Amino acid sequence: MSKSDRFAEPVTDRLFATEREPEDFRFDAAVARVFPDMIRRSVPGYTTIIPMIEVITEQYAQAGSNCYDLGCSLGASTLAMRHGISHNDCTLVGVDNSAAMIERCEHYIALDDHPLAVSLRCEDIQKTELSNASVTTLNFTLQFVPPGQRSSLLRRIAGATRPGGVLILSEKIRFESEDEQDIQTRLHHEFKRANGYSDLEISQKRSAIEQVLIPETLAAHTQRLKDSGFDRVLVWYQCFNFVSMLALKAG
Ligand code: GEK
């Protein structure tokens, strides 16, 4: 099976295609059903970031350690980590608090042919047990945690990370300058149009998600990662207002 086949699902996202009552976005069964299509057509760079998570995991997973995918959804990033781990004594854990996501994730994990066991937890990432970690992934998940609760989660992750371990943090960001914010937002919306979303879909999704997904600046992310106990922070990927960072603990 090729890497892209592992995540393929032929269900097209039409959730916002017709006029609907304004309601906050939730990761429910309807979203879980169309999720692979939704995230691929909505997040610039997602299809590059997933296979790179495998490459990064390959570099940083340590023998006898735990690897965590926090906010694993259907397991695309979990499976990338699984294929990147070369130590058979590692433990891989995927965590998501959406039962609809975890249920479908189990199915995707079972379809995959890698021998490393994956343990799935339907839990809040803010409460889930973390220890002895070498690689932790937050692939577009921290943005859904209320801003006031982000520091305590990152402190817990840094505290659970071994020397030489990493956190892969992918986020939608906002920009200090209003001008850059406008340009990057317009380019993101053009990306969605090019992927077949209508203006109605783009604007209804935007209204549904704006109270739920709170983006912060790159400077805010970097400072908080350092304050939380990571020694080094670098950006390894950016496409418009979507960024992936690597936060490292000194070895
Ligand atoms: C991927 N990483 O495909 N506890 C547990 N899960 C949570 C929490 C929380 N507090 N908050 C949000 N989630 C995946 C994509 S999607 C990103 C991640 C997106 C979960 C939520 O249920 C959802 O499944 C996931 O985080 C975010 O690489 O939809 O833009």
Side-chain angles (χ1 to χ4, degrees):
M1 214 186 314
S2 79
K3 275 178 198 164
S4 56
D5 285 345
R6 265 191 254 138
F7 320 122
E9 184 169 292
V11 183
T12 306
D13 168 26
R14 290 265 168 267
L15 292 182
F16 294 91
T18 49
E19 208 118 5
R20 46 187 271 172
E21 288 299 312
E23 199 192 337
D24 278 350
F25 184 85
R26 283 180 302 121
F27 290 99
D28 57 14
V31 168
R33 189 168 163 273
V34 301
F35 191 73
D37 181 67
M38 171 186 276
I39 196 155
R40 182 183 58 77
R41 291 199 289 138
S42 306
V43 175
Y46 179 78
T47 52
T48 300
I49 290 171
I50 291 295
M52 292 314 128
I53 288 175
E54 177 173 336
V55 171
I56 296 171
T57 302
E58 215 161 6
Q59 290 301 308
Y60 290 99
Q62 300 176 16
S65 69
N66 298 327
C67 296
Y68 297 96
D69 186 15
L70 304 180
C72 61
S73 300
L74 304 188
S77 37
T78 320
L79 290 178
M81 294 175 78
R82 187 190 215 184
H83 284 254
I85 296 171
S86 55
H87 309 283
N88 55 16
D89 58 352
C90 277
T91 300
L92 177 57
V93 182
V95 185
D96 205 292
N97 63 355
S98 158
M101 288 290 191
I102 287 290
E103 197 180 303
R104 278 176 180 264
C105 186
E106 277 165 5
H107 169 74
Y108 280 97
I109 301 287
L111 283 179
D112 181 55
D113 51 9
H114 194 283
L116 185 75
V118 178
S119 143
L120 292 177
R121 300 179 187 162
C122 189
E123 280 180 6
D124 189 331
I125 55 172
Q126 297 177 81
K127 298 192 182 127
T128 204
E129 189 274 333
L130 303 169
S131 60
N132 187 32
S134 59
V135 181
T136 300
T137 298
L138 279 165
N139 199 37
F140 301 109
T141 304
L142 189 67
Q143 59 196 15
F144 294 106
V145 172
Q149 298 167 22
R150 293 178 186 177
S151 281
S152 65
L153 172 62
L154 293 176
R155 275 200 306 272
R156 248 171 22 85
I157 296 171
T161 301
R162 283 183 175 190
V166 296
L167 167 67
I168 303 166
L169 175 63
S170 309
E171 287 278 291
K172 181 178 188 181
I173 59 161
R174 66 176 179 82
F175 297 88
E176 311 272 4
S177 121
E178 229 175 89
D179 183 47
E180 179 164 8
Q181 178 65 24
D182 290 348
I183 294 170
Q184 301 275 22
T185 303
R186 187 156 38 80
L187 290 171
H188 174 219
H189 290 167
E190 284 308 325
F191 166 87
K192 292 187 77 166
R193 267 185 211 103
N195 281 328
Y197 283 118
S198 66
D199 289 345
L200 179 67
E201 284 176 294
I202 294 170
S203 78
Q204 291 200 120
K205 172 81 178 279
R206 189 181 191 179
S207 313
I209 213 152
E210 70 190 353
Q211 303 299 324
V212 181
L213 188 171
I214 314 289
E216 293 177 281
T217 64
L218 194 51
H221 280 296
T222 305
Q223 192 56 53
R224 188 174 45 217
L225 285 164
K226 289 191 170 159
D227 293 345
S228 301
F230 288 98
D231 298 297
R232 207 168 160 210
V233 179
L234 51 93
V235 171
W236 66 269
Y237 185 84
Q238 177 166 1
C239 183
F240 308 140
N241 42 351
F242 291 79
V243 163
S244 192
M245 293 156 257
L246 191 62
L248 301 102
K249 274 201 65 176

